[in-house]
Amino acid sequence: KQEVTQIPAALSVPEGENLVLNCSFTDSAIYNLQWFRQDPGKGLTSLLLIQSSQREQTSGRLNASLDKSSGRSTLYIAASQPGDSATYLCAEAPTGANSKLTFGKGITLSVRP
Amino acid sequence: GAGVSQSPRYKVAKRGQDVALRCDPISGHVSLFWYQQALGQGPEFLTYFQNEAQLDKSGLPSDRFFAERPEGSVSTLKIQRTQQEDSAVYLCASSSLAGGYTDTQYFGPGTRLTVL
């Protein structure tokens, strides 16, 4: 069974810092990996999706990388802002017809002004 | 619609009551998913529809949970004889492509179910 791990569970940084959020998964036979943002009391917003054939994706200040061989993905946030404070979850979709996602528990990020 | 909508947003039920949670996916989206998110945890897969067909219900925790999507659009998740361990946020997601190739899943705001 695929397991997705995100450590640490929480992170607090000062505004302006560049930071890296880590995600690891046990089964390298993934179809894609996605990063989501979740604000308190709200649903999930997709940030980046990396197909298994890709190594990274970028959107604005966000960059996500994927290393299937080591079972790792990272989300890089440049020049962090208080508005980036949220919970960040990674999720993998397995190879196969069903694209259900397996999520990590998330990393709760707090960016201090 | 502009996004995935869910209703009610909050539901309080007494233990043993039946509840029904509704999901309106993005118009035209083929795939629809239900997830359960317990406090402090990531969402866990419950069930998956492709149009009106329920192709995977392996994540449903017991036979008290039932989901349907009769016309391939709106979906309802029903929980019978609710138990305290059913308390969670129930998330619905839809995507535009059928299985075999994964597209971004768009999530609704969720329904927070509290069972007393």
Side-chain angles (χ1 to χ4, degrees), chain B residues 56-112:
Chain B
D56 187 342
K57 53 182 181 180
S58 62
L60 296 178
S62 77
D63 59 6
R64 296 186 294 104
F65 287 70
F66 172 77
E68 60 182 4
R69 193 186 186 197
E71 298 179 357
S73 177
V74 171
S75 177
T76 303
L77 176 66
K78 298 179 180 179
I79 309 173
Q80 298 177 325
R81 304 182 303 282
T82 53
Q83 303 294 316
Q84 285 189 325
E85 60 263 28
D86 300 335
S87 296
V89 175
Y90 291 85
L91 295 166
C92 175
S94 69
S95 69
S96 60
L97 299 175
Y101 181 88
T102 303
D103 196 10
T104 300
Q105 293 186 22
Y106 296 89
F107 281 77
T111 294
R112 180 177 298 277

Side-chain angles (χ1 to χ4, degrees), chain A residues 4-85:
Chain A
V4 179
T5 303
Q6 294 183 257
I7 297 173
L11 188 62
S12 180
V13 301
E15 181 177 4
E17 191 163 299
N18 300 326
L19 55 101
V20 173
L21 306 182
N22 294 307
C23 171
S24 61
F25 44 93
T26 54
D27 187 348
S28 62
I30 66 170
Y31 203 86
N32 70 41
L33 188 131
Q34 300 182 43
W35 282 92
F36 292 87
R37 169 181 172 144
Q38 186 171 33
D39 292 281
K42 301 201 174 171
L44 281 66
T45 301
S46 179
L47 297 174
L48 291 165
L49 182 153
I50 312 174
Q51 297 291 354
S52 62
S53 58
Q54 299 172 321
R55 293 193 64 83
E56 66 177 320
Q57 284 285 337
T58 298
S59 176
R61 292 183 296 109
L62 306 179
N63 174 277
S65 66
L66 175 64
D67 184 341
K68 286 178 57 179
S69 62
S70 66
R72 293 180 183 176
S73 176
T74 61
L75 178 67
Y76 176 82
I77 303 176
S80 58
Q81 303 171 357
D84 295 330
S85 298

